[in-house]
Amino acid sequence: MSEVDRVVTQQVAQRVAPGVGKVLSGVEEAAESTKLWCGAAVAMACVGGWRGRTAAVAGLAAMTVAQLVSNGVCKQLADRPRPPKEWFPHDEADDRPDSSSFPSGHTAAAVGFTAAVLPVWPAAGLVCAVPAAMVAVERVQSGAHYPSDVVAGAAIGLAGAWLVRQTPRLALRHWT
């Protein structure tokens, strides 16, 4: 697995054009501290009526679950160093967190939000999928994460969205 991580990381870092890298970095910066997803939730709630409010709440709930699991639990248990700076032909790898590389909290939040919005409001979910994918690619391209960190973050995000979607059903089953 570590060899696959190395090869994919180096390929992504070398093949993303500098202009594309700047766009990816801009999207990641907007997603920092979940600003992008909170802004999307506000927009959905304001313009989407009942469906928009429902999608916004589901997205924010799934994002919160994903963040708690990825950053609050997994990063505390896994002390994985970030990819070596030598793998990157740019200086973006100099500006990355000191926390554990595993898993990608940015990706967990992005995928959790998007996966929870998608079943409620498919058009909004598809729109959210574009920056979510960009965040995932940027995390590898910039040297912040290995591809396996991003895959784990995406899995956590999907699990968070599933849990949010199932919670009302599970609660009804438990209390009836």
Side-chain angles (χ1 to χ4, degrees), residues 27-28 31 36-37 106-107 110 130-140:
V27 171
E28 184 277 330
L36 178 62
W37 313 117
H106 282 79
T107 304
V130 173
M134 292 172 78
V135 165
V137 170
E138 190 280 339
R139 301 315 287 158
V140 174

Side-chain angles (χ1 to χ4, degrees), residues 75 80-85 96-102 139 143-146 149:
K75 280 188 185 285
R80 185 179 195 186
R82 303 284 173 167
K85 292 179 184 180
R96 56 192 185 170
D98 293 330
S99 61
S100 175
S101 178
F102 184 86
R139 301 315 287 158
H145 290 284
Y146 294 96
D149 300 336

Side-chain angles (χ1 to χ4, degrees), residues 2 12-13 16-18 37 40 46 66 70 73 83 88 92 96 103 106 117 132-133 159 161 164:
S2 61
V12 170
V16 172
W37 313 117
C46 289
S70 64
V73 177
F88 301 91
E92 284 185 64
R96 56 192 185 170
H106 282 79
V117 167
V164 164

Side-chain angles (χ1 to χ4, degrees), residues 22-44:
K22 287 186 188 291
V23 171
L24 293 174
S25 292
V27 171
E28 184 277 330
E29 185 65 34
E32 186 72 34
S33 301
T34 68
K35 294 180 299 233
L36 178 62
W37 313 117
C38 291
V42 168
M44 283 186 257

Side-chain angles (χ1 to χ4, degrees), residues 159-172:
W162 178 86
L163 183 63
V164 164
R165 190 155 173 84
Q166 297 302 314
T167 296
R169 203 172 308 159
L170 295 171
L172 282 175

